Amino acid sequence: MRTLLLILFIGFISLYSNFDLHAQISLRYENNETLTYDEVIEAYKYLDEKYKTAKLLTVGETDIGKPLHLFVMSKDSDYDPESIHKKGRCVIFVNNGIHPGEPPGIDASIQFAIDVLDNKAKMNKYLDNCVICIIPVYNIGGCLNRSPYHRTNQDTPPESGFRGNGKNLDLNRDFIKMDSKNARSLVQTFHTWKPEVFLDTHTTNGSDHQYTLTLIATVFQRLPEPMSSYFKENMVPSLYNKMKTSPYEMIPYVNWNTRNADDGISAYFDAPRVSTGFASLFNTYAFMTENHVYKPFSDQVKSVYHFLSALAEFSNANYKEIIKTKKQADKISANEKLFISSWRLNKNLKEMLLFKGYNGEMKKSPLTGNMNYHYDINSPYIKEVPFYQYFTPGDTIQKPKMYIIPQAWEKAIEYLMLNGVRLSRLQKDMKIEVEAYYLESFKYSQRPGNGHFRINEIKTNRENQTIQFYKGDYIIEMDQPTNRFIMEVLEPTTIDSYISWNFFNPIFDRREYFSPSGFEKKAMNYLESNLDLKQKFEEKKANDPDFAENGYSQMGFIYTNSPYYEKSHKRYPVYRINNTINLPFE
């Protein structure tokens, strides 16, 4: 009965000027309940109506058919992103409910917004130099799909949302490929607001330990200097120190190398497909909170609340340096000539971390009889463990002067535009000398990953060619702050390139073939006029018995090494222009 009354209260909060939203929200999470989607939106609508310094915006569509919302807190009621940046304010962007079965951030953000707007403990000061943007619930379809059975490893709350969205996609693997309307709406919103600081709220059921909250800070080495140093030496340590003074001391995300704590923890490498990896590509200071699911839900919510406060307090106090370093990083990105396309964890560099954990042991399962690892919360320990957080560059790629993409590849072009990339169009048909990639080898994944059979282990070779392009094809000049993103998605060998996510699959198909009777005479003539190929052909017959007995394979060998074989097969349809040339485009 009490729960029903609370739902009715939330549903009609706009009718009550004396309604105590603070008390109702806290009562829910203290009672191990998380708000429903409708209750969340009604709460933000109430705050919009009550405070002139807050506004709930509709910013796009989602796969479930309901709009994506953005709640903005701005001290002077300015809700124009361009105007806000001109005023020199720092934009903090908080994303909640990407996995609705991990809801602490949803409830914590409402509590945080209430207290900022009510000026509890002078929290309104966070808006002196910052504008705070909150996505109430990103994965709306998953949030509406509530059940007590979604999270078998999670004790709290007893009913919560589903990991997949309305399209059964994991939205935290969708920031590059953008298969969902949710992702396309969020990405547009991100680029509209151009945040300096980004936070995504999650929970995890990994190892057991004494911490309620752990933190993933994006890999600092990927950020240009001086942004990288400021992040590692100032921003991140300050947040840990602030959380240490709260009831919820924080630790880096617990990514054990082995079950032996003495082997240490490795920093999580956030690839561009996930929220923080995506945000950092645009030189945004990016964080992901990871609550521990075995801790009481009220503590999970409160710990995120304290982190939100710490992040807002730091950003407000240091807004000038945050904005300055991001602008410097954007300028460096626009002018950098060498792009790092892969990273390796450096196991030779480590720092010692004081860690509060629980001992564990292998125990026989009473159900299966197998041995499983169990943590013993009655056996805590505190000791130093190695923390590996240094990544070193692997492969590097020289930036071209520009890329050119035929207009036929409209999905890639559209998604580049959605990400704020500046494209121009060729103004006439013409042949252009380019550097073309051919896919020499690759592997398809054996199982689908978030809706895709991905293409992995791509190896390429390059060939200079003169190719016919047409009026309306797209040119990308490589003098943009978005260069890191451009090269991450357009260079084929990167971890989350567009081709790895199947954007260009038709290039793997052949469209022209030969028939033995029709091609035989041409094949013989071509061999006689190309003695090097003839020698290789004869050597292969001599050394490969199967080849020597297979007439079709022999003819196929000649065909694929002749001008009759289509040049476009396995040719990557994004071309590099390395020379300074004047092209007619606008």
Side-chain angles (χ1 to χ4, degrees):
M1 178 61 69
R2 182 180 63 185
T3 300
L4 178 60
L5 289 173
L6 290 172
I7 292 173
L8 292 173
F9 263 124
I10 294 288
F12 296 98
I13 51 181
S14 60
L15 301 178
Y16 298 93
S17 59
N18 61 346
F19 178 77
D20 189 352
L21 182 59
H22 181 290
Q24 295 302 328
I25 296 295
S26 63
L27 181 60
R28 295 295 295 276
Y29 63 70
E30 291 287 4
N31 285 337
N32 194 27
E33 296 178 30
T34 181
L35 299 180
T36 67
Y37 170 73
D38 290 333
E39 291 167 351
V40 170
I41 300 305
E42 287 301 323
Y44 281 111
K45 284 181 178 177
Y46 171 76
L47 294 175
D48 179 332
E49 293 173 5
K50 184 175 179 181
Y51 297 97
K52 292 182 179 179
T53 53
K55 194 170 188 65
L56 184 64
L57 306 171
T58 298
V59 293
E61 298 179 338
T62 69
D63 286 340
I64 203 67
K66 294 185 180 293
L68 186 68
H69 288 96
L70 183 73
F71 183 74
V72 184
M73 293 185 285
S74 176
K75 197 162 192 174
D76 63 354
S77 302
D78 186 351
Y79 304 107
D80 178 358
E82 188 174 345
S83 171
I84 287 165
H85 283 292
K86 283 181 180 178
K87 292 174 181 176
R89 292 183 184 167
C90 175
V91 176
I92 303 170
F93 194 106
V94 180
N95 187 42
N96 294 304
I98 196 168
H99 298 147
E102 307 170 10
I106 296 174
D107 299 80
S109 290
I110 299 176
Q111 187 77 75
F112 174 73
I114 295 168
D115 290 348
V116 169
L117 296 169
D118 273 348
N119 201 22
K120 180 181 177 182
K122 299 182 178 178
M123 289 173 64
N124 195 254
K125 67 184 178 184
Y126 300 156
L127 302 181
D128 287 350
N129 304 305
C130 294
V131 170
I132 301 174
C133 302
I134 299 172
I135 297 287
V137 179
Y138 177 35
N139 182 354
I140 298 170
C143 196
L144 291 168
N145 183 9
R146 284 168 70 99
S147 170
Y149 303 113
H150 290 325
R151 290 278 175 140
T152 58
N153 291 332
Q154 182 169 297
D155 297 328
T156 58
E159 184 176 278
S160 58
F162 185 63
R163 188 178 183 90
N165 85 325
K167 213 172 184 177
N168 200 35
L169 292 169
D170 179 348
L171 293 184
N172 202 34
R173 304 294 184 274
D174 200 37
F175 281 89
I176 293 296
K177 61 188 179 67
M178 294 195 293
D179 288 338
S180 64
K181 288 182 180 178
N182 304 58
R184 295 192 288 276
S185 295
L186 183 65
V187 164
Q188 277 189 296
T189 306
F190 177 90
H191 290 298
T192 297
W193 286 87
K194 294 180 173 58
E196 282 82 14
V197 179
F198 175 87
L199 171 65
D200 201 10
T201 61
H202 291 246
T203 67
T204 181
N205 60 352
S207 73
D208 207 351
H209 45 71
Q210 299 175 45
Y211 303 93
T212 300
L213 189 70
T214 67
L215 182 70
I216 294 173
T218 195
V219 176
F220 68 89
Q221 293 98 328
R222 291 183 305 193
L223 299 172
E225 291 290 359
M227 192 178 178
S228 178
S229 293
Y230 185 75
F231 188 57
K232 181 182 184 296
E233 297 169 10
N234 295 83
M235 193 172 193
V236 173
S238 294
L239 293 172
Y240 277 105
N241 290 336
K242 184 65 177 178
M243 289 299 290
K244 199 168 185 177
T245 65
S246 79
Y248 301 98
E249 183 181 4
M250 187 171 65
I251 201 77
Y253 178 68
V254 183
N255 183 26
W256 290 117
N257 292 316
T258 69
R259 286 200 180 114
N260 183 352
D262 293 331
D263 291 332
I265 297 168
S266 291
Y268 177 78
F269 185 84
D270 50 341
R273 75 193 70 164
V274 304
S275 63
T276 53
F278 169 83
S280 66
L281 277 180
F282 300 94
N283 300 326
T284 297
Y285 290 106
F287 300 93
M288 185 182 292
T289 51
E290 289 276 8
N291 276 113
H292 197 263
V293 297
Y294 301 129
K295 301 298 186 285
F297 185 63
S298 61
D299 286 327
Q300 293 182 41
V301 173
K302 291 173 188 175
S303 65
V304 179
Y305 173 93
H306 278 280
F307 184 81
L308 282 164
S309 298
L311 187 63
E313 182 179 6
F314 180 89
S315 300
N316 179 65
N318 299 277
Y319 75 103
K320 287 184 179 178
E321 197 64 24
I322 290 172
I323 293 171
K324 176 184 173 183
T325 52
K326 175 174 168 43
K327 285 182 177 178
Q328 290 171 325
D330 287 344
K331 187 175 181 179
I332 290 169
S333 295
N335 294 292
E336 195 73 54
K337 290 184 170 54
L338 202 62
F339 170 72
I340 299 168
S341 61
S342 64
W343 297 85
R344 293 188 295 267
L345 183 66
N346 189 338
K347 285 296 188 75
N348 296 317
L349 290 176
K350 65 183 179 183
E351 296 171 348
M352 298 308 292
L353 190 69
L354 190 65
F355 185 78
K356 300 176 181 179
Y358 296 121
N359 289 305
E361 62 180 347
M362 299 295 292
K363 290 185 177 181
K364 188 175 182 179
S365 166
L367 176 65
T368 67
N370 294 332
M371 300 298 288
N372 296 323
Y373 193 82
H374 289 267
Y375 289 94
D376 183 358
I377 61 172
N378 296 313
S379 180
Y381 67 80
I382 301 176
K383 66 177 179 179
E384 287 193 332
V385 301
F387 178 45
Y388 301 92
Q389 64 168 325
Y390 294 93
F391 289 83
T392 56
D395 298 324
T396 58
I397 301 173
Q398 189 79 21
K399 179 183 76 174
K401 296 288 184 184
M402 58 187 75
Y403 290 99
I404 183 166
I405 308 177
Q407 58 201 286
W409 302 100
E410 53 199 11
K411 180 179 177 181
I413 292 160
E414 177 191 353
Y415 286 12
L416 288 164
M417 289 179 175
L418 283 175
N419 279 284
V421 176
R422 185 182 77 250
L423 293 93
S424 304
R425 305 197 75 171
L426 199 61
Q427 291 302 294
K428 68 176 184 179
D429 297 356
M430 62 184 300
K431 291 183 177 181
I432 302 172
E433 185 179 342
V434 298
E435 184 178 44
Y437 283 112
Y438 280 91
L439 272 69
E440 192 174 80
S441 64
F442 55 90
K443 290 183 180 179
Y444 277 101
S445 59
Q446 296 301 303
R447 295 187 302 171
N450 214 31
H452 289 253
F453 285 90
R454 293 199 61 205
I455 302 170
N456 304 306
E457 299 180 38
I458 296 172
K459 289 185 173 58
T460 64
N461 56 52
R462 302 186 194 186
E463 187 175 306
N464 292 324
Q465 295 182 353
T466 299
I467 294 178
Q468 177 69 56
F469 293 95
Y470 298 94
K471 181 180 179 180
D473 289 344
Y474 287 85
I475 302 289
I476 304 172
E477 296 174 277
M478 294 303 291
D479 58 352
Q480 308 186 44
T482 53
N483 276 356
R484 290 177 58 219
F485 171 80
I486 295 168
M487 294 198 68
E488 190 72 47
V489 298
L490 293 188
E491 286 295 325
T493 57
T494 58
I495 190 171
D496 278 322
S497 63
Y498 279 164
I499 194 168
S500 75
W501 284 109
N502 311 122
F503 277 45
F504 303 108
N505 270 12
I507 70 167
F508 298 105
D509 293 337
R510 282 173 52 191
R511 295 292 171 236
E512 300 287 352
Y513 301 89
F514 69 88
S515 62
S517 59
F519 182 61
E520 185 171 31
K521 186 175 181 180
K522 291 178 181 178
M524 293 173 63
N525 289 338
Y526 189 74
L527 271 188
E528 292 304 318
S529 61
N530 291 271
L531 298 181
D532 287 344
L533 181 61
K534 184 176 182 180
Q535 182 178 346
K536 291 176 183 177
F537 175 74
E538 296 297 343
E539 288 174 354
K540 188 169 178 62
K541 279 204 300 182
N543 298 322
D544 187 340
D546 292 336
F547 181 76
E549 294 179 4
N550 190 322
Y552 191 85
S553 292
Q554 293 176 38
M555 210 165 289
F557 175 86
I558 301 168
Y559 178 76
T560 56
N561 286 281
S562 76
Y564 299 104
Y565 183 72
E566 60 203 80
K567 292 289 287 182
S568 58
H569 185 221
K570 298 183 186 177
R571 185 173 67 190
Y572 180 55
V574 179
Y575 304 96
R576 294 164 55 97
I577 298 175
N578 296 314
N579 300 321
T580 301
I581 55 175
N582 292 319
L583 294 176
F585 63 82
E586 61 178 27

